[in-house]
Amino acid sequence: MAATKAARVGEEVWKTRIDKVNAELVTLTYGTIVAQLCNDYDSKYDEVNKQLDKMGYNIGVRLIEDFFAKSGTQRCQNFRETADTIAKIGFKIFLNIAPAVVNWSADGKAFSLLFDENPLVDYVELPDDAKAQDELWFSNIFCGVLRGALEMVQVQVECQFVSDTLRGDDTTEMRVTLVKYLEDELPPDDE
């Protein structure tokens, strides 16, 4: 699916098939969850990052079915199409944003999502303890969502943020790297 067609599909689904939720409610609720994790893990931000990724993974595993039902898209033919579908349809459907797909690796197995906007970070200030600026990836739930959703369609990826405007960087960039395509596995005794 070409990037422009993916963008049209994402826009059409956002306008016609999605029940919308107040963005401020989502932002404030997510911020409260992150703040509670920071308290629960005594500002051990590497652990907070892991928990956000784990929460996102569990969301992604379930969200993929909703994505297919609402978007009507079929399985992607290659990793470039997957990237465009994630950016132009997936993020558009669920968050009404469309990050740019940039910085492809020479082998075509890694790309970056560049976020011009991120609704999760509205009204957010990182904790003022000197560690958060260097260690906390506030939107790390996105990495888990992508990992979980893609794993359900037999695509194993690694995701991590490499920059974030909340940390003082010029851009917010998530790196997505293809690990491997998984084989469809049947449970034992099933044929």
Side-chain angles (χ1 to χ4, degrees):
M1 177 182 303
T4 54
K5 182 179 180 196
R8 280 194 314 271
V9 169
E11 188 66 32
E12 186 232 316
V13 171
W14 170 255
K15 287 180 178 177
T16 61
R17 298 187 212 159
I18 298 297
D19 294 329
K20 286 140 184 103
V21 176
N22 184 301
E24 290 177 355
L25 175 65
V26 172
T27 300
L28 296 173
T29 302
Y30 181 73
T32 302
I33 291 169
V34 175
Q36 186 62 52
L37 286 171
C38 290
N39 286 335
D40 290 351
Y41 289 98
D42 297 320
S43 299
K44 294 178 181 140
Y45 298 117
D46 59 329
E47 199 55 43
V48 173
N49 293 334
K50 288 177 189 172
Q51 291 303 314
L52 290 171
D53 183 82
K54 187 176 178 182
M55 289 169 54
Y57 179 87
N58 290 328
I59 292 168
V61 164
R62 290 163 182 79
L63 200 63
I64 191 70
E65 289 180 27
D66 197 34
F67 168 80
F68 283 123
K70 286 182 165 77
S71 69
T73 59
Q74 300 297 313
R75 187 179 205 111
C76 296
Q77 300 303 310
N78 56 52
F79 199 51
R80 283 193 184 267
E81 187 179 342
T82 300
D84 285 334
T85 300
I86 290 166
K88 305 291 188 275
I89 302 175
F91 275 101
K92 185 68 178 182
I93 287 175
F94 296 110
L95 294 170
N96 194 27
I97 61 174
V101 179
V102 298
N103 301 331
W104 278 96
S105 63
D107 63 1
K109 292 185 177 185
F111 64 90
S112 291
L113 293 173
L114 199 59
F115 294 84
D116 288 335
E117 55 185 323
N118 178 352
L120 294 183
V121 301
D122 292 343
Y123 320 111
V124 171
E125 291 181 19
L126 292 180
D128 191 19
D129 65 1
K131 285 176 36 180
Q133 290 286 337
D134 295 329
E135 298 175 13
L136 179 62
W137 294 106
F138 188 83
S139 301
N140 211 46
I141 198 166
F142 287 163
C143 294
V145 169
L146 288 184
R147 282 187 328 97
L150 289 174
E151 197 168 295
M152 293 298 101
V153 293
Q154 284 72 43
V155 180
Q156 185 179 5
V157 296
E158 291 177 353
C159 300
Q160 69 275 345
F161 277 92
V162 294
S163 65
D164 191 340
T165 55
L166 273 181
R167 298 172 101 185
D169 298 320
D170 293 333
T171 60
T172 299
E173 180 180 342
M174 179 196 305
R175 193 77 179 151
V176 181
T177 305
L178 175 65
V179 175
K180 66 181 177 178
Y181 291 101
L182 303 170
E183 297 295 322
D184 286 328
E185 293 183 17
L186 295 174
D189 301 336
D190 263 9
E191 298 203 22

